[in-house]
Amino acid sequence: MAKANSNSSLFLFVSLLLFQVLHFSSSQSFIGVNYGQVADNLPPPAATAKLLQSTSIQKLRLYGADPAIIKALANTGVGIVIGASSGDIPALASDPNAATQWINSNVLPFYPASKIILITVGNEVMISNDQNLISQLLPAMANMQNALNAASLGGKIKVSTVHAMSVLAQSDPPSSGSFIRQDTMRGILQFLKDHGSPFTINPYPFFAYQSDPRPETLAFCLFQPNAGRVDSGTGIKYMNMFDAQVDAVHSALNAMGFKDVEIVVAETGWPYRGDPNEVGPSVENAKAYNGNLIAHLRSMAGTPLMPGKSVDTYIFALYDEDLKPGPTSERSFGLFKPDLSAAYDVGISKSSQVRHNQPCHSLNHNGISFSLACFVRLQ
């Protein structure tokens, strides 16, 4: 009888673990990707939609609101972020009808078949030198929100604006995080809190490494074994730059009384190619950063200040943008080539086995250890 009870208990335990693993494998909504369009060789939207469905990427960020792409993603379940450009801000701020027309043109024809989840108003406006534009940002966001409310979409689609890491006046150590332009930022943060919208930020450990190109910095930025860096304010040891940057944002939010505003990483990535004088770009480094970042997100470890959950993270980028100006690295962030083949493998294909340093789900029952997730395909 005891043996039967033990076997029943073991079966229940293993079944529960297997359920958890299958749930994990099918719910990676925290992995997104950016789709820039400064290129002349991009695949057709339908091909991109099919590509996304073959991966564990569940969210896509557009910098505009390309109707062909939004329509192609209908009924795929892929969450879509669309953007009003910084150039749209003056009209959106001064005329509520402009916001209504924007929603009428870019949201209503497609939603809910196309799963639009967030509208970003402007990109890195707060670090611009255009004081007029900065002062118009919050009114533009408010009018966009009001237009959504009028269309009965308030709460279903959020409104935010995207920030560069340099919106932080200080970020090292992470516990000292603080914002620039705090008077303006306070209004934006209150808006985000009032509407349950996320604070969206672009952390790039790649640029941190370029400014400090030591081997130990590279390992810290690539989630590779390193000595770690201790935050002198908290005593917390950070083992990677991504966590340190995200926690610096959390500290800045907390310092202003907005610690409960969700953080979303709108962009992060690593180029696989660069000019001879550029430090850091390589296939090896890009594969290590993006692959280890995805593994870190899947581990659900979170950051030291926000443990036990993964921040929604949009990797830059889905494809290269061959028409972008600047150094070669600017045109070399793509995870996929125009022919839809992978530039390098980071373990996001649904046909990939759990690998790339993925932790197995394990349990111990009566001294017997089990590891199951290693045999489950990631969805």
Side-chain angles (χ1 to χ4, degrees), residues 23 25 52 80 102-103 116 121 201 205 216 226 253 304 317 360 366:
H23 175 73
S25 68
L52 290 173
I80 308 166
W102 200 96
I103 296 298
I116 299 169
V121 178
I201 188 80
E216 55 267 38
N226 65 91
L253 290 170
C360 295
N366 292 341

Side-chain angles (χ1 to χ4, degrees), residues 198-211:
F199 182 89
T200 51
I201 188 80
N202 297 342
Y204 275 92
F206 168 66
F207 296 125
Y209 172 62
Q210 284 199 315
S211 65

Side-chain angles (χ1 to χ4, degrees), residues 216-234:
E216 55 267 38
T217 303
L218 182 62
F220 188 67
C221 289
L222 296 181
F223 300 86
Q224 293 174 336
N226 65 91
R229 299 184 179 183
V230 176
D231 185 319
S232 58
T234 61

Side-chain angles (χ1 to χ4, degrees), residues 269-306:
W270 200 287
Y272 64 85
R273 180 181 57 197
D275 293 322
N277 64 338
E278 290 189 89
V279 178
S282 72
V283 170
E284 180 182 8
N285 288 347
K287 181 177 179 179
Y289 179 73
N290 288 317
N292 290 335
L293 170 63
I294 290 167
H296 183 53
L297 295 173
R298 284 174 175 161
S299 76
M300 301 300 288
T303 71
L305 296 184
M306 296 182 291

